[in-house]
Structure formats: C-alpha cells, structure tokens
Amino acid sequence: MSEFVLAVHGGAGSMRRLRDDAAGQERIRDGLRGALRAGQGVLSDGGSALDAVEQAVRVLESNEAFNAGRGSVLNRAGEVEMDAAIMCGEKHRAGAVAAVRTILHPISAARAVMERTPHVLIAGLPAEKLALEAGVEEVDPEELATDERRRQLRRLRAAKRVDLDHGGSTVGAVALDRSGHLAAAASTGGMANKLPGRVGDSPIIGAGTWAADGRCAVSATGPGELIMRACVAHEIDAAIRLGGLELGRAASAALAMVAQLGGRAGCIAVDGNGTVAMPFTTEAMPRGVARTGEPPRQAIYDEELR
Ligand code: ASP
C-alpha cells in the first residue's frame, strides 16, 4: 500500500496575543494534534482522503480554541454564521454551506450537500434543514458562541473594526490517501463583526477550497474577500497544470497575488506525490502534518514543525 499524508491549519494571522501565552499556544497545538490523529486513524486504516479531512475538521469544529463550529466568531448582529466546504479530487465532487447557524458540524453539512443534492453550495435555512435531514447534529447557536467571542465582539464594535485575527482561527485540512485520491475541507465562522449574510472564501470552490486528483488539494486562509478575488486555491492548480510549477512555488505565487491585492494569507496544500506546502505571509499560521507511521508534528509561527 502507498503512503498517505494529512495536513491541517488553524488560520493565518498574527497570533500576537498568543506570543507570550505558552498555555494558549499549547491549546492550539493540542487541537491540531487531535485533528491530525483523527485523520491519521482514518487514513492508516485505508480510509479515504475525504473521510480523513472531514474527521479532522470535525475535531477542530468541536474545539472552541478555533473559529469554526463551537467557538465561531460573531457577526455584527451578535450571531454565529458559519461557512464550510469539502471537495474530493476524484471527478471534482464538491459540497458547501454558507451562513448556517444551527449546525454543530458545518463540514458534515457540506458533505451532505455534495452527496445528497445535485448542487454545490446551499446557504442559510435550507442548508440547515438539509443537514438535519442528513442526520448532522443540530445545536442551539447560543451554545456555539463563547464568552470570549462575546467580549471580542464588544471590543470590535467599539473600535468599528472587522477582525480576522482570532488567535485560533478558520480551520482546514487536505489529504492524500493510500489509493492516491486527494481531498480538501474548510470550516469557519468567518470574520468577527462581519455584516450579517457575509460569505467568505472557505465555501467558494476554487477560492478557499480545491482538490483535483493528480495535482493538488488546497485549503486557503486569510482575508476571504482577497482570496476570492485572487481565486487562490484554483490558481495553485492552474500554475501546476498550465505553468508546470511544483507545488511550493505554485502556492507561494498564489499568495503573492493576494499580496498584490493588499493582503496577507496562507494555505496548506498537498500534491499527488504527497509533497506538502504550507506557506503563509502572515506572522503565524497554526499548522500540522501527519504522515504514514510518523507522529503528527505542528507549528504556529515561522518555525520548524515539531
Ligand atoms: N478566510 C476566512 C474568511 O474570510 C477567514 C480566515 O481564514 O481566517 O471567512
């Protein structure tokens, strides 16, 4: 059997508030490790990249240190509104949900869109209804919002700012399984103090999330508006397919395009050979990798994985 690889991220940003907070950093590392172990378990049993990225993201959605599922940021109206997408490299199958509120695991709702409908992206109440019918756990949105997120919203409302840098942020996962298939997944509460109804790049196929067998699986993170305008995830595929670039250069070139538009971002990507690239132009991007038979390794800042 061939080798597998799984990579996860916990959102690009400065993570400045965590610089001197060893316990806070450990919570993020622990969260990444748990997600990597969950996905690694799936892959080492011969499971699919699709199942692995879904399981890894579900673990991160359950962890309130990250801006996804429980612990999602609040919009200007004080509500959680979450986006998620999942994509399978085989035949470019994809599903996504946007602006959902009552779902504990938006990533599984995205998968339900992919598997149970002829559509790719469903938003709002109908997406919530579909998820419930598919057996995805319902939750009272009040339970998703933590006290820390309520305090954050009060600060941002006072400062009249929309914020991206959440300590632990948006989550994503990419994987190559033992059969050579690629998959990508992303889940997020988006930007804190965003306008109600705002949808970011994460559920937009080709912008924040992309997978095409033989080439790459990508999950991007950073300012969603710029990632959409640069179409980051698909841009990486195009640079490989049309430009003949190797994965790392393709990923850095896509981030350079975001920089030209005036922003900083990051991404995790894996190609059909199991090469992983995790570039970021922010100060930090919590991230980690798990390979066949190796313990998962993580990093937050510009440092080696360990
Ligand atoms: N890209 C996400 C969004 O704009 C945010 C992030 O990656 O932190 O919704």
Side-chain angles (χ1 to χ4, degrees), residues 195-253:
L195 288 176
R198 179 263 186 189
V199 174
D201 60 298
S202 311
I204 306 299
I205 298 304
T209 305
W210 181 256
D213 273 5
R215 291 196 302 277
C216 59
V218 180
S219 174
T221 166
E225 283 69 11
L226 300 187
I227 293 172
M228 284 188 267
R229 285 164 53 199
C231 216
V232 166
H234 185 266
E235 182 68 14
I236 296 172
D237 182 315
I240 295 171
R241 182 166 46 95
L242 304 172
L245 264 59
E246 52 83 23
L247 183 77
R249 284 190 59 207
S252 298

Short mmCIF file of all heavy atoms in Angstrom, two decimals, residues 195-253:
data_model
loop_
_atom_site.label_atom_id
_atom_site.label_comp_id
_atom_site.label_asym_id
_atom_site.label_seq_id
_atom_site.Cartn_x
_atom_site.Cartn_y
_atom_site.Cartn_z
N LEU A 195 -20.63 41.82 8.44
CA LEU A 195 -22.05 42.10 8.19
C LEU A 195 -22.81 40.78 8.15
O LEU A 195 -22.29 39.79 7.59
CB LEU A 195 -22.23 42.81 6.85
CG LEU A 195 -21.78 44.27 6.80
CD1 LEU A 195 -21.94 44.80 5.37
CD2 LEU A 195 -22.60 45.11 7.76
N PRO A 196 -24.02 40.75 8.68
CA PRO A 196 -24.82 39.52 8.57
C PRO A 196 -24.98 39.15 7.10
O PRO A 196 -25.15 40.02 6.24
CB PRO A 196 -26.17 39.93 9.19
CG PRO A 196 -25.81 41.03 10.14
CD PRO A 196 -24.69 41.79 9.49
N GLY A 197 -24.86 37.86 6.81
CA GLY A 197 -25.01 37.40 5.43
C GLY A 197 -23.70 37.39 4.65
O GLY A 197 -23.66 36.86 3.54
N ARG A 198 -22.64 37.95 5.24
CA ARG A 198 -21.34 37.93 4.53
C ARG A 198 -20.86 36.48 4.38
O ARG A 198 -20.89 35.71 5.34
CB ARG A 198 -20.32 38.74 5.33
CG ARG A 198 -18.93 38.78 4.70
CD ARG A 198 -18.01 37.74 5.32
NE ARG A 198 -16.64 37.89 4.83
CZ ARG A 198 -15.68 37.00 5.07
NH1 ARG A 198 -15.92 35.92 5.79
NH2 ARG A 198 -14.47 37.18 4.61
N VAL A 199 -20.42 36.13 3.21
CA VAL A 199 -19.86 34.79 2.98
C VAL A 199 -18.41 34.96 2.54
O VAL A 199 -18.10 35.81 1.70
CB VAL A 199 -20.66 34.04 1.90
CG1 VAL A 199 -20.01 32.71 1.55
CG2 VAL A 199 -22.11 33.82 2.37
N GLY A 200 -17.50 34.18 3.12
CA GLY A 200 -16.08 34.29 2.80
C GLY A 200 -15.66 33.32 1.70
O GLY A 200 -16.50 32.78 0.96
N ASP A 201 -14.37 33.12 1.61
CA ASP A 201 -13.81 32.27 0.55
C ASP A 201 -13.93 30.77 0.84
O ASP A 201 -13.92 29.95 -0.09
CB ASP A 201 -12.33 32.59 0.37
CG ASP A 201 -11.57 32.32 1.68
OD1 ASP A 201 -11.88 33.00 2.69
OD2 ASP A 201 -10.70 31.43 1.70
N SER A 202 -14.00 30.43 2.15
CA SER A 202 -13.89 29.00 2.52
C SER A 202 -14.89 28.11 1.79
O SER A 202 -14.53 27.03 1.32
CB SER A 202 -14.03 28.83 4.03
OG SER A 202 -13.18 29.72 4.70
N PRO A 203 -16.17 28.53 1.63
CA PRO A 203 -17.12 27.64 0.95
C PRO A 203 -17.15 27.86 -0.56
O PRO A 203 -17.98 27.23 -1.24
CB PRO A 203 -18.47 28.04 1.56
CG PRO A 203 -18.32 29.51 1.79
CD PRO A 203 -16.86 29.73 2.18
N ILE A 204 -16.31 28.74 -1.07
CA ILE A 204 -16.32 29.01 -2.51
C ILE A 204 -15.28 28.11 -3.17
O ILE A 204 -14.06 28.27 -2.97
CB ILE A 204 -15.99 30.50 -2.81
CG1 ILE A 204 -16.93 31.42 -2.03
CG2 ILE A 204 -16.07 30.78 -4.31
CD1 ILE A 204 -18.41 31.26 -2.34
N ILE A 205 -15.80 27.15 -3.95
CA ILE A 205 -14.92 26.17 -4.59
C ILE A 205 -14.01 26.89 -5.58
O ILE A 205 -14.46 27.65 -6.42
CB ILE A 205 -15.77 25.08 -5.29
CG1 ILE A 205 -16.63 24.34 -4.24
CG2 ILE A 205 -14.90 24.10 -6.07
CD1 ILE A 205 -15.88 23.70 -3.09
N GLY A 206 -12.70 26.64 -5.42
CA GLY A 206 -11.72 27.31 -6.28
C GLY A 206 -11.09 28.50 -5.61
O GLY A 206 -9.97 28.89 -5.93
N ALA A 207 -11.79 29.13 -4.66
CA ALA A 207 -11.22 30.27 -3.94
C ALA A 207 -10.49 29.77 -2.68
O ALA A 207 -9.26 29.78 -2.63
CB ALA A 207 -12.31 31.27 -3.59
N GLY A 208 -11.27 29.31 -1.67
CA GLY A 208 -10.65 28.85 -0.43
C GLY A 208 -10.41 27.35 -0.41
O GLY A 208 -9.61 26.86 0.39
N THR A 209 -11.12 26.62 -1.25
CA THR A 209 -11.09 25.15 -1.18
C THR A 209 -11.01 24.55 -2.59
O THR A 209 -11.77 24.98 -3.47
CB THR A 209 -12.40 24.64 -0.50
OG1 THR A 209 -12.53 25.30 0.78
CG2 THR A 209 -12.39 23.15 -0.30
N TRP A 210 -10.12 23.57 -2.76
CA TRP A 210 -10.00 22.95 -4.08
C TRP A 210 -9.30 21.60 -3.95
O TRP A 210 -8.39 21.44 -3.13
CB TRP A 210 -9.17 23.85 -5.03
CG TRP A 210 -9.03 23.28 -6.41
CD1 TRP A 210 -7.91 22.68 -6.92
CD2 TRP A 210 -10.03 23.21 -7.42
NE1 TRP A 210 -8.17 22.26 -8.21
CE2 TRP A 210 -9.46 22.58 -8.55
CE3 TRP A 210 -11.36 23.64 -7.50
CZ2 TRP A 210 -10.17 22.34 -9.72
CZ3 TRP A 210 -12.06 23.41 -8.67
CH2 TRP A 210 -11.47 22.77 -9.77
N ALA A 211 -9.72 20.63 -4.77
CA ALA A 211 -8.99 19.36 -4.86
C ALA A 211 -9.15 18.77 -6.25
O ALA A 211 -10.28 18.71 -6.77
CB ALA A 211 -9.51 18.37 -3.81
N ALA A 212 -8.06 18.36 -6.86
CA ALA A 212 -8.09 17.71 -8.17
C ALA A 212 -7.05 16.61 -8.14
O ALA A 212 -5.85 16.88 -7.96
CB ALA A 212 -7.77 18.72 -9.27
N ASP A 213 -7.49 15.37 -8.30
CA ASP A 213 -6.57 14.23 -8.21
C ASP A 213 -5.39 14.40 -9.17
O ASP A 213 -5.56 14.87 -10.29
CB ASP A 213 -7.31 12.93 -8.55
CG ASP A 213 -7.98 12.35 -7.30
OD1 ASP A 213 -7.92 13.00 -6.24
OD2 ASP A 213 -8.56 11.25 -7.40
N GLY A 214 -4.22 13.99 -8.68
CA GLY A 214 -3.02 14.06 -9.52
C GLY A 214 -2.34 15.41 -9.46
O GLY A 214 -1.17 15.54 -9.79
N ARG A 215 -3.07 16.45 -9.04
CA ARG A 215 -2.44 17.78 -8.97
C ARG A 215 -2.35 18.33 -7.55
O ARG A 215 -1.27 18.37 -6.98
CB ARG A 215 -3.16 18.74 -9.90
CG ARG A 215 -2.93 18.38 -11.39
CD ARG A 215 -3.29 19.50 -12.29
NE ARG A 215 -4.68 19.89 -12.12
CZ ARG A 215 -5.71 19.28 -12.72
NH1 ARG A 215 -5.51 18.26 -13.51
NH2 ARG A 215 -6.94 19.71 -12.53
N CYS A 216 -3.46 18.71 -6.96
CA CYS A 216 -3.33 19.27 -5.61
C CYS A 216 -4.67 19.31 -4.88
O CYS A 216 -5.73 19.33 -5.50
CB CYS A 216 -2.75 20.69 -5.66
SG CYS A 216 -3.71 21.85 -6.62
N ALA A 217 -4.57 19.33 -3.55
CA ALA A 217 -5.70 19.67 -2.68
C ALA A 217 -5.24 20.87 -1.87
O ALA A 217 -4.11 20.89 -1.37
CB ALA A 217 -6.05 18.51 -1.76
N VAL A 218 -6.10 21.89 -1.75
CA VAL A 218 -5.69 23.17 -1.14
C VAL A 218 -6.76 23.67 -0.18
O VAL A 218 -7.96 23.58 -0.49
CB VAL A 218 -5.50 24.25 -2.24
CG1 VAL A 218 -5.06 25.58 -1.61
CG2 VAL A 218 -4.49 23.81 -3.29
N SER A 219 -6.33 24.22 0.96
CA SER A 219 -7.23 25.00 1.81
C SER A 219 -6.53 26.32 2.11
O SER A 219 -5.43 26.33 2.68
CB SER A 219 -7.54 24.24 3.11
OG SER A 219 -8.30 25.08 3.96
N ALA A 220 -7.15 27.41 1.71
CA ALA A 220 -6.55 28.74 1.91
C ALA A 220 -7.15 29.40 3.14
O ALA A 220 -8.26 29.07 3.56
CB ALA A 220 -6.79 29.60 0.69
N THR A 221 -6.43 30.35 3.71
CA THR A 221 -6.91 31.08 4.88
C THR A 221 -6.36 32.50 4.88
O THR A 221 -5.23 32.73 4.44
CB THR A 221 -6.54 30.35 6.20
OG1 THR A 221 -6.74 31.25 7.30
CG2 THR A 221 -5.10 29.87 6.22
N GLY A 222 -7.17 33.42 5.38
CA GLY A 222 -6.80 34.84 5.37
C GLY A 222 -8.02 35.65 4.97
O GLY A 222 -9.14 35.16 5.07
N PRO A 223 -7.82 36.90 4.54
CA PRO A 223 -8.98 37.74 4.19
C PRO A 223 -9.77 37.17 3.00
O PRO A 223 -9.28 37.15 1.86
CB PRO A 223 -8.34 39.09 3.83
CG PRO A 223 -6.90 38.81 3.60
CD PRO A 223 -6.54 37.56 4.32
N GLY A 224 -10.97 36.69 3.30
CA GLY A 224 -11.75 35.96 2.31
C GLY A 224 -12.02 36.75 1.04
O GLY A 224 -12.02 36.18 -0.06
N GLU A 225 -12.24 38.05 1.20
CA GLU A 225 -12.56 38.86 0.02
C GLU A 225 -11.38 38.83 -0.96
O GLU A 225 -11.56 38.71 -2.17
CB GLU A 225 -12.88 40.29 0.47
CG GLU A 225 -14.28 40.46 1.07
CD GLU A 225 -14.48 39.78 2.43
OE1 GLU A 225 -13.49 39.34 3.05
OE2 GLU A 225 -15.65 39.69 2.87
N LEU A 226 -10.16 38.91 -0.44
CA LEU A 226 -8.98 38.92 -1.32
C LEU A 226 -8.71 37.52 -1.87
O LEU A 226 -8.30 37.36 -3.02
CB LEU A 226 -7.75 39.45 -0.59
CG LEU A 226 -7.87 40.88 -0.07
CD1 LEU A 226 -6.54 41.36 0.48
CD2 LEU A 226 -8.35 41.82 -1.17
N ILE A 227 -8.93 36.51 -1.04
CA ILE A 227 -8.70 35.13 -1.51
C ILE A 227 -9.68 34.80 -2.65
O ILE A 227 -9.31 34.17 -3.64
CB ILE A 227 -8.84 34.13 -0.34
CG1 ILE A 227 -7.69 34.36 0.65
CG2 ILE A 227 -8.84 32.69 -0.83
CD1 ILE A 227 -7.80 33.58 1.94
N MET A 228 -10.90 35.31 -2.54
CA MET A 228 -11.86 35.11 -3.65
C MET A 228 -11.40 35.86 -4.89
O MET A 228 -11.48 35.36 -6.00
CB MET A 228 -13.26 35.60 -3.24
CG MET A 228 -13.96 34.66 -2.29
SD MET A 228 -15.68 35.16 -2.01
CE MET A 228 -15.52 36.15 -0.56
N ARG A 229 -10.94 37.09 -4.68
CA ARG A 229 -10.57 37.90 -5.85
C ARG A 229 -9.32 37.36 -6.53
O ARG A 229 -9.09 37.61 -7.71
CB ARG A 229 -10.41 39.37 -5.43
CG ARG A 229 -11.77 40.02 -5.19
CD ARG A 229 -11.67 41.31 -4.40
NE ARG A 229 -10.74 42.24 -4.99
CZ ARG A 229 -10.19 43.26 -4.34
NH1 ARG A 229 -10.50 43.48 -3.05
NH2 ARG A 229 -9.37 44.07 -4.94
N ALA A 230 -8.49 36.62 -5.78
CA ALA A 230 -7.29 36.01 -6.38
C ALA A 230 -7.56 34.55 -6.76
O ALA A 230 -6.71 33.91 -7.37
CB ALA A 230 -6.12 36.10 -5.42
N CYS A 231 -8.70 34.04 -6.36
CA CYS A 231 -9.09 32.64 -6.63
C CYS A 231 -7.92 31.71 -6.27
O CYS A 231 -7.49 30.88 -7.07
CB CYS A 231 -9.48 32.50 -8.09
SG CYS A 231 -10.82 31.35 -8.27
N VAL A 232 -7.44 31.84 -5.04
CA VAL A 232 -6.17 31.25 -4.61
C VAL A 232 -6.07 29.74 -4.84
O VAL A 232 -5.09 29.25 -5.42
CB VAL A 232 -5.91 31.58 -3.12
CG1 VAL A 232 -4.82 30.70 -2.53
CG2 VAL A 232 -5.55 33.05 -2.97
N ALA A 233 -7.06 28.99 -4.39
CA ALA A 233 -6.90 27.53 -4.39
C ALA A 233 -6.82 26.99 -5.83
O ALA A 233 -5.96 26.16 -6.15
CB ALA A 233 -8.04 26.87 -3.61
N HIS A 234 -7.68 27.49 -6.69
CA HIS A 234 -7.63 27.02 -8.07
C HIS A 234 -6.43 27.58 -8.81
O HIS A 234 -5.88 26.93 -9.72
CB HIS A 234 -8.93 27.38 -8.82
CG HIS A 234 -8.95 26.80 -10.20
ND1 HIS A 234 -8.53 27.49 -11.30
CD2 HIS A 234 -9.27 25.55 -10.62
CE1 HIS A 234 -8.61 26.71 -12.35
NE2 HIS A 234 -9.05 25.53 -11.97
N GLU A 235 -5.99 28.75 -8.41
CA GLU A 235 -4.81 29.35 -9.03
C GLU A 235 -3.58 28.43 -8.85
O GLU A 235 -2.74 28.31 -9.74
CB GLU A 235 -4.55 30.72 -8.37
CG GLU A 235 -3.39 31.50 -8.91
CD GLU A 235 -3.60 32.00 -10.34
OE1 GLU A 235 -4.75 31.98 -10.81
OE2 GLU A 235 -2.60 32.40 -10.96
N ILE A 236 -3.52 27.77 -7.70
CA ILE A 236 -2.40 26.86 -7.44
C ILE A 236 -2.47 25.68 -8.41
O ILE A 236 -1.47 25.30 -9.03
CB ILE A 236 -2.42 26.40 -5.96
CG1 ILE A 236 -2.18 27.62 -5.06
CG2 ILE A 236 -1.38 25.30 -5.72
CD1 ILE A 236 -2.36 27.35 -3.58
N ASP A 237 -3.67 25.15 -8.59
CA ASP A 237 -3.86 24.05 -9.56
C ASP A 237 -3.44 24.52 -10.96
O ASP A 237 -2.72 23.82 -11.67
CB ASP A 237 -5.33 23.61 -9.54
CG ASP A 237 -5.59 22.44 -10.49
OD1 ASP A 237 -5.11 22.48 -11.62
OD2 ASP A 237 -6.29 21.50 -10.09
N ALA A 238 -3.90 25.72 -11.35
CA ALA A 238 -3.62 26.21 -12.71
C ALA A 238 -2.12 26.40 -12.91
O ALA A 238 -1.59 26.10 -13.99
CB ALA A 238 -4.36 27.52 -12.95
N ALA A 239 -1.43 26.87 -11.86
CA ALA A 239 0.01 27.09 -12.00
C ALA A 239 0.75 25.76 -12.18
O ALA A 239 1.75 25.68 -12.89
CB ALA A 239 0.55 27.84 -10.78
N ILE A 240 0.22 24.70 -11.55
CA ILE A 240 0.82 23.37 -11.70
C ILE A 240 0.49 22.82 -13.09
O ILE A 240 1.35 22.37 -13.84
CB ILE A 240 0.29 22.41 -10.60
CG1 ILE A 240 0.75 22.88 -9.22
CG2 ILE A 240 0.72 20.98 -10.88
CD1 ILE A 240 0.11 22.12 -8.06
N ARG A 241 -0.78 22.90 -13.45
CA ARG A 241 -1.28 22.26 -14.68
C ARG A 241 -0.82 22.99 -15.93
O ARG A 241 -0.36 22.38 -16.88
CB ARG A 241 -2.81 22.24 -14.61
CG ARG A 241 -3.51 21.58 -15.77
CD ARG A 241 -4.98 21.33 -15.41
NE ARG A 241 -5.60 22.49 -14.79
CZ ARG A 241 -6.31 23.40 -15.44
NH1 ARG A 241 -6.53 23.29 -16.73
NH2 ARG A 241 -6.85 24.42 -14.80
N LEU A 242 -0.93 24.31 -15.90
CA LEU A 242 -0.63 25.07 -17.12
C LEU A 242 0.78 25.64 -17.10
O LEU A 242 1.39 25.81 -18.15
CB LEU A 242 -1.64 26.22 -17.29
CG LEU A 242 -3.11 25.80 -17.29
CD1 LEU A 242 -4.02 27.01 -17.28
CD2 LEU A 242 -3.40 24.94 -18.52
N GLY A 243 1.26 25.97 -15.89
CA GLY A 243 2.57 26.62 -15.80
C GLY A 243 3.70 25.66 -15.49
O GLY A 243 4.86 26.05 -15.48
N GLY A 244 3.35 24.41 -15.15
CA GLY A 244 4.38 23.42 -14.85
C GLY A 244 5.14 23.70 -13.55
O GLY A 244 6.22 23.16 -13.33
N LEU A 245 4.59 24.52 -12.66
CA LEU A 245 5.27 24.82 -11.39
C LEU A 245 5.14 23.64 -10.43
O LEU A 245 4.16 22.90 -10.48
CB LEU A 245 4.63 26.05 -10.74
CG LEU A 245 5.30 27.42 -10.98
CD1 LEU A 245 5.35 27.72 -12.47
CD2 LEU A 245 4.54 28.50 -10.25
N GLU A 246 6.13 23.49 -9.54
CA GLU A 246 5.95 22.50 -8.48
C GLU A 246 5.10 23.14 -7.37
O GLU A 246 4.93 24.36 -7.33
CB GLU A 246 7.29 21.91 -8.00
CG GLU A 246 8.35 22.90 -7.60
CD GLU A 246 8.19 23.39 -6.19
OE1 GLU A 246 7.57 22.69 -5.38
OE2 GLU A 246 8.70 24.49 -5.88
N LEU A 247 4.55 22.29 -6.49
CA LEU A 247 3.52 22.72 -5.54
C LEU A 247 3.92 23.96 -4.72
O LEU A 247 3.14 24.91 -4.61
CB LEU A 247 3.17 21.57 -4.60
CG LEU A 247 2.06 21.86 -3.61
CD1 LEU A 247 0.70 21.80 -4.30
CD2 LEU A 247 2.09 20.88 -2.44
N GLY A 248 5.11 23.93 -4.13
CA GLY A 248 5.52 25.02 -3.23
C GLY A 248 5.57 26.36 -3.96
O GLY A 248 5.09 27.37 -3.45
N ARG A 249 6.13 26.33 -5.18
CA ARG A 249 6.21 27.59 -5.94
C ARG A 249 4.83 28.06 -6.37
O ARG A 249 4.52 29.24 -6.35
CB ARG A 249 7.13 27.42 -7.15
CG ARG A 249 8.60 27.42 -6.75
CD ARG A 249 9.51 27.49 -7.96
NE ARG A 249 9.27 28.68 -8.77
CZ ARG A 249 9.51 28.74 -10.10
NH1 ARG A 249 9.97 27.69 -10.73
NH2 ARG A 249 9.29 29.86 -10.76
N ALA A 250 3.99 27.11 -6.73
CA ALA A 250 2.62 27.47 -7.15
C ALA A 250 1.87 28.12 -5.99
O ALA A 250 1.17 29.12 -6.16
CB ALA A 250 1.88 26.22 -7.65
N ALA A 251 2.03 27.54 -4.79
CA ALA A 251 1.31 28.07 -3.62
C ALA A 251 1.83 29.45 -3.26
O ALA A 251 1.05 30.37 -2.97
CB ALA A 251 1.47 27.11 -2.44
N SER A 252 3.15 29.65 -3.31
CA SER A 252 3.71 30.96 -2.98
C SER A 252 3.29 32.01 -4.01
O SER A 252 3.02 33.17 -3.67
CB SER A 252 5.24 30.91 -2.91
OG SER A 252 5.61 30.01 -1.89
N ALA A 253 3.20 31.60 -5.28
CA ALA A 253 2.79 32.55 -6.33
C ALA A 253 1.34 32.99 -6.09
O ALA A 253 1.01 34.17 -6.27
CB ALA A 253 2.92 31.89 -7.70
#
